Amino acid sequence: MKCVLSVIVATLLFSSLPCSDASALHWITRLGHTNCDNHPVAETHAPGLIQRSEQNYVDAPLHFEVERPFASHSLLTLVVCDGEVHILPNPHPDQLRVVVHLGASLRHELIPGRFLQEFVVGQKDADVEWKLPASSRPVIDMYVPEQTALDLQLGRTNLLVKGVRGDKEVNAGKGTVRLDVSNGDSEYHSITVDVAMGSFADLRTEDSLSHHFPFHQELPGRGDATAHLQMAMGRIEIDQEN
């Protein structure tokens, strides 16, 4: 009952934030084409994964890995219902690499690929949507070209974005979002932060204050990229890259 009340409260708060039409309930129950219901994708919905060994495709009980050509300056749309998410630059240029590690086996001897709702990679964009259940403790590593725009729709997840340049749109239901930036304020023209229930910390400053809900702030900079970070229930952090 307490969880339900928290979702309702966060929904009301989040819907009142400036520039936000999302809600906590939306970002936890349905994302993109994906229902976060802990059920595997029907086998008839074979999601764009071409099972060819030459494409570096692995789908084992606790491990999934696939790599596809993906041009620099493209757009990655990523949907994740549950799990730890890391988005990092790929040392191999013009490649998208997806690596998933599970901390616990899936029920009924299923493999991670059965929970991949979408995997479509085009010339200038890609759509990857995961509905792995939280009980499997998934860690999802996305390796993209350094210059990649991001559109991230997250349910109950902890996110780290580091070393990836370009515009970013992040909508999270519950958890933490951490964006590491380079060279102080020279990377982004603006970073907009909306938190409905939780806190925000700009760790680039010496007196990093944590602001509690509801919270909206626009951080100006001297760069070209923009970022919009939205959190329904949780914490957003901005930090300097090491």
Side-chain angles (χ1 to χ4, degrees):
M1 182 64 177
K2 183 183 293 185
C3 179
V4 173
L5 289 175
S6 297
V7 171
I8 293 173
V9 171
T11 300
L12 294 174
L13 288 169
F14 206 54
S15 61
S16 67
L17 287 173
C19 305
S20 172
D21 58 0
S23 71
L25 187 61
H26 170 76
W27 292 115
I28 290 177
T29 59
R30 183 171 180 84
L31 308 166
H33 307 98
T34 303
N35 285 317
C36 298
D37 54 10
N38 294 326
H39 298 311
V41 177
E43 292 189 72
T44 55
H45 178 81
L49 267 178
I50 304 171
Q51 300 189 23
R52 297 181 294 187
S53 58
E54 68 269 20
Q55 292 283 353
N56 300 321
Y57 170 60
V58 176
D59 198 5
L62 296 176
H63 179 72
F64 175 95
E65 187 169 345
V66 67
E67 193 166 29
R68 293 286 186 271
F70 190 56
S72 182
H73 297 280
S74 295
L75 168 67
L76 170 66
T77 299
L78 176 66
V79 170
V80 175
C81 291
D82 292 278
E84 189 91 11
V85 180
H86 309 133
I87 302 183
L88 305 166
N90 195 336
H92 303 289
D94 297 324
Q95 293 287 322
L96 168 65
R97 184 176 175 219
V98 183
V99 181
V100 177
H101 295 283
L102 302 186
S105 298
L106 295 160
R107 64 187 187 278
H108 307 307
E109 299 182 349
L110 292 169
I111 52 179
R114 286 295 310 280
F115 294 84
L116 181 57
Q117 180 73 44
E118 296 288 336
F119 188 85
V120 180
V121 182
Q123 291 185 340
K124 297 298 292 182
D125 54 35
D127 183 2
V128 182
E129 304 194 12
W130 284 102
K131 56 184 299 188
L132 287 158
S135 59
S136 65
R137 303 199 301 275
V139 177
I140 300 171
D141 295 329
M142 305 289 298
Y143 297 94
V144 300
E146 181 179 1
Q147 293 289 341
T148 299
L150 302 176
D151 180 2
L152 312 180
Q153 301 178 30
L154 312 174
R156 291 172 288 256
T157 58
N158 295 321
L159 169 71
L160 169 65
V161 180
K162 183 175 182 178
V164 178
R165 318 300 172 206
D167 295 340
K168 298 171 180 67
E169 183 77 24
V170 180
N171 292 279
K174 184 176 183 181
T176 62
V177 167
R178 177 174 171 138
L179 173 64
D180 282 9
V181 303
S182 65
N183 300 324
D185 65 350
S186 65
E187 183 177 353
Y188 291 91
H189 175 71
S190 68
I191 300 176
T192 303
V193 177
D194 287 311
V195 181
M197 177 179 288
S199 61
F200 165 68
D202 188 346
L203 303 176
R204 299 172 297 174
T205 61
E206 292 183 1
D207 53 346
S208 171
L209 298 178
S210 181
H211 305 273
H212 292 271
F213 67 90
F215 176 78
H216 170 82
Q217 184 168 338
E218 297 183 16
L219 307 172
R222 298 177 290 112
D224 297 323
T226 61
H228 189 186
L229 313 177
Q230 298 184 84
M231 170 66 69
M233 292 183 288
R235 179 177 176 86
I236 293 177
E237 296 179 350
I238 300 173
D239 202 357
Q240 186 80 20
E241 285 182 16
N242 295 328

